[in-house]
Amino acid sequence: MATMFTNRWIPAFLYPITVLALSTFVAGRVPPSYFSDSHNLINVYFVKLGWLWTTVAYVSLLNGDKKSWLRYILSTAYWFCITQWLLGPSFIDRVFVATGGSCSSDILLQSQATCRQTGGQWIGGHDVSGHCVLLVHASLFLWEEQRAILLFKNTKKYGLYIVYGFLALWWWMLCMTSTYFFHGQRELVSGTFFGMFGWVIMYLVMFPLIGLVDTLQPSQKEQQQQQQQQHEKL
């Protein structure tokens, strides 16, 4: 069980396969359900507050490591810039406008949230799925942090259970997002891409380079510590 949850490639393949498979073979072929309504309670109170709940799950791990908190801050900044604000409109809003999109009530508005507040609709451009960005990015973040705990630290079991509960919920809602077309398939795929892009840039490239993740396996780390202790004795 622990081995499965320390394998970072499981979610790396699971999430894009989920989106591609469901949006290709299932979407449009199933009848409406509770989850096809965007006002369902899980979407309203969990997904739309997704990073808040992701933070709750992260804090439950009780990881006081400063490096872990820096990873959280940088992961939060990535989510915020992509979906909320990037020196004005968010990154995905900028993509929408750059690909020919606009607000039906005021063509000068470049933020989806502001557009909706004025009673307008976001029309015309490539609308990157913010749900996919959030769900994939949050899931990969939680997976990496619980992986670090299992490999290198100890934590209360309930903390891991909370994380696994949210990982399951986020995956289920990714399935629902892919099944019921709130976006076109290309928008779902691009959302998944940007959800994974942050993980690739941070956890696979940047964090190892600047020393924010431990690149040694536990056995290697123990050997290194033993060698250091022997060297100190000499």
Side-chain angles (χ1 to χ4, degrees), residues 151-200:
L151 284 175
F152 304 111
K153 293 180 179 292
N154 293 315
T155 188
K156 300 292 185 182
K157 284 188 177 181
Y158 74 81
L160 289 172
Y161 293 152
I162 292 172
V163 167
Y164 297 150
F166 275 105
L167 283 171
L169 181 61
W170 290 165
W171 179 75
W172 172 254
M173 292 309 293
L174 185 66
C175 291
M176 296 301 98
T177 299
S178 304
T179 298
Y180 299 107
F181 268 152
F182 302 114
H183 289 270
Q185 186 181 47
R186 291 181 180 179
E187 296 170 340
L188 294 170
V189 170
S190 63
T192 303
F193 171 81
F194 287 115
M196 296 190 67
F197 185 71
W199 170 72
V200 171

Side-chain angles (χ1 to χ4, degrees), residues 220-232:
Q220 294 174 314
K221 195 171 184 179
E222 290 174 2
Q223 290 177 0
Q224 188 183 66
Q225 290 174 344
Q226 290 175 358
Q227 290 174 355
Q228 288 177 346
Q229 290 174 356
Q230 291 175 356
H231 181 73
E232 289 173 358

Side-chain angles (χ1 to χ4, degrees), residues 13-50:
F13 285 100
L14 175 64
Y15 300 135
I17 288 174
T18 295
V19 172
L20 283 171
L22 292 178
S23 62
T24 301
F25 301 110
V26 179
R29 296 177 174 84
V30 293
S33 73
Y34 176 72
F35 292 100
S36 61
D37 182 353
S38 62
H39 297 292
N40 71 77
L41 293 180
I42 294 180
N43 189 55
V44 172
Y45 293 107
F46 284 90
V47 178
K48 289 187 180 296
L49 299 173

